[in-house]
Amino acid sequence: MEESMQQALATHIHVEVAIGRRTFEQVVRGAVDVWGREVDDHDLFVRTAEEIAGRAFADHLAAQAAWPEVTESDRLSMAMIDLAMAGILSRESYTDCLNCGTTEIGGELAKLPGMRGYTFYHHQDAQAAAGGGGVMLAYGATGDGDAATIGAEIVAACRRRGLEAEWDGDARQRVHVPVDWRRRRFGPLAGHPGAPTPPGGPAVPVTFCDYTSISGDDPVDMSVQECRDLMLWLTPHDGNFACYRGRSGPTLQFMWEAGMRLWAETPDLAARCSRGRHVTVDEALELVTLHVRDGGIAPEDLGEARTVPW
């Protein structure tokens, strides 16, 4: 393989690993999709991509161990979730380009009559952010709404989360959010050949499903940090869920509903019911932290919950 191609391949893979939304297999397959037809020895190319990806994953996981509990990438996700809950459909690393994203989010909005607007950044934006360029948030209003009003809400949401959003008030311009990109990998997103055994500490078995990305059908033990990361990674989309089993108490589970509301509950198998309530992203993170640290939460930890018969 030519040195120039190997360097381009390594750069591509390191950026994809940094973005943090694709598994090892998806990162390698993505590289093959880009260059696979241009190489003479396809098997050699695949082996080289796997070797580069393996080193990139190992380096990324070693680096993230020293990151703060909440990174600027986390703050961006929290702002996006805040916006979704406020009626502005939000998506991260959404489709490949601006035109595709605008078209696809229009299709989603057609099924969500309660949304006032939308915002997203696409995969090329994520690549730029991983390279130090920050993200560019596209946005718009639904119906007769005012796009500039949506833009102002996006700026305010980012700033409430400690991010310095930049925008001149022109609805024709996207919102620029400078971000020190640090996106953790966890569970199946951290797995790679030769991955070390996770460090000890409190952990619970977790299953989840993100219909827009990947699912974790088989329980995977996750630490407090990983469980928090999963909550921020999960796309606000009807039916997406995360289920955190308890070591010594009931299961804690979350599900996104069509109205961009996040439902939290603890099921009671014996009584054939659940106790739960709608929560904010901050409340969800607090519950997850308590659940993993203590091995399970009590129903009263949910606060003013209601009982839902099965």
Side-chain angles (χ1 to χ4, degrees):
M1 184 185 301
E2 294 183 2
E3 183 178 352
S4 59
M5 175 168 284
Q6 187 160 337
Q7 290 177 344
L9 174 62
T11 299
H12 173 86
I13 287 175
H14 277 84
V15 169
E16 292 302 318
V17 172
I19 290 173
R21 297 197 71 88
R22 294 178 176 174
T23 65
F24 176 87
E25 292 76 13
Q26 289 172 332
V27 169
V28 171
R29 187 166 62 248
V32 172
D33 289 342
V34 173
W35 286 290
R37 296 180 181 179
E38 301 178 21
V39 298
D40 296 327
D41 191 331
H42 185 269
D43 291 340
L44 174 61
F45 180 86
V46 173
R47 289 197 301 272
T48 302
E50 290 175 339
E51 291 171 2
I52 294 173
R55 292 193 296 271
F57 267 70
D59 291 346
H60 187 92
L61 294 174
Q64 73 180 36
W67 293 350
E69 179 181 85
V70 180
T71 68
E72 290 191 359
S73 298
D74 296 333
R75 295 184 188 281
L76 176 62
S77 292
M78 295 167 79
M80 297 291 270
I81 294 172
D82 291 341
L83 289 165
M85 290 183 170
I88 299 174
L89 182 63
S90 62
R91 293 289 180 260
E92 298 192 75
S93 195
Y94 184 71
T95 73
D96 289 329
C97 67
L98 182 59
N99 288 338
C100 293
T102 303
T103 298
E104 291 202 20
I105 208 160
E108 286 199 63
L109 287 167
K111 303 174 185 177
L112 297 168
M115 295 292 102
R116 298 181 293 111
Y118 68 86
T119 184
F120 70 89
Y121 63 89
H122 52 70
H123 189 67
Q124 292 178 34
D125 291 324
Q127 290 173 324
V135 296
M136 300 295 294
L137 297 178
Y139 59 90
T142 58
D144 297 327
D146 178 36
T149 299
I150 300 298
E153 289 190 48
I154 293 167
V155 170
C158 289
R159 290 178 176 171
R160 282 194 297 270
R161 290 298 182 177
L163 300 173
E164 190 53 48
E166 300 170 350
W167 183 58
D168 62 5
D170 185 347
R172 295 169 297 180
Q173 301 297 321
R174 294 195 287 169
V175 175
H176 178 235
V177 185
V179 175
D180 179 11
W181 190 270
R182 294 184 179 184
R183 181 72 71 187
R184 286 188 180 84
R185 288 184 164 272
F186 60 89
L189 291 173
H192 64 281
T197 302
V204 297
V206 180
T207 56
F208 66 92
C209 179
D210 189 318
Y211 290 102
T212 69
S213 183
I214 63 172
S215 299
D217 297 324
D218 297 323
V220 176
D221 284 349
M222 292 191 190
S223 66
V224 173
Q225 185 65 64
E226 289 181 303
C227 290
R228 289 171 59 90
D229 293 338
L230 173 59
M231 285 305 309
L232 296 180
W233 174 86
L234 202 64
T235 304
H237 183 283
D238 185 24
N240 283 352
F241 70 85
C243 179
Y244 303 92
R245 298 184 185 177
R247 294 195 309 276
S248 57
T251 293
L252 172 64
Q253 51 197 31
F254 299 85
M255 178 174 286
W256 280 101
E257 299 177 344
M260 296 300 111
R261 296 197 299 174
L262 182 60
W263 175 258
E265 67 177 18
T266 56
D268 186 334
L269 297 179
R272 297 188 58 79
C273 67
S274 295
R275 286 186 53 78
R277 66 181 177 90
H278 292 104
V279 296
T280 66
V281 63
D282 296 283
E283 290 173 326
L285 293 174
E286 291 176 7
L287 286 170
V288 165
T289 300
L290 178 65
H291 180 74
V292 182
R293 186 190 65 200
D294 296 345
I297 67 168
E300 55 267 24
D301 293 325
L302 282 171
E304 296 182 3
R306 62 185 174 90
T307 300
V308 181
W310 295 350

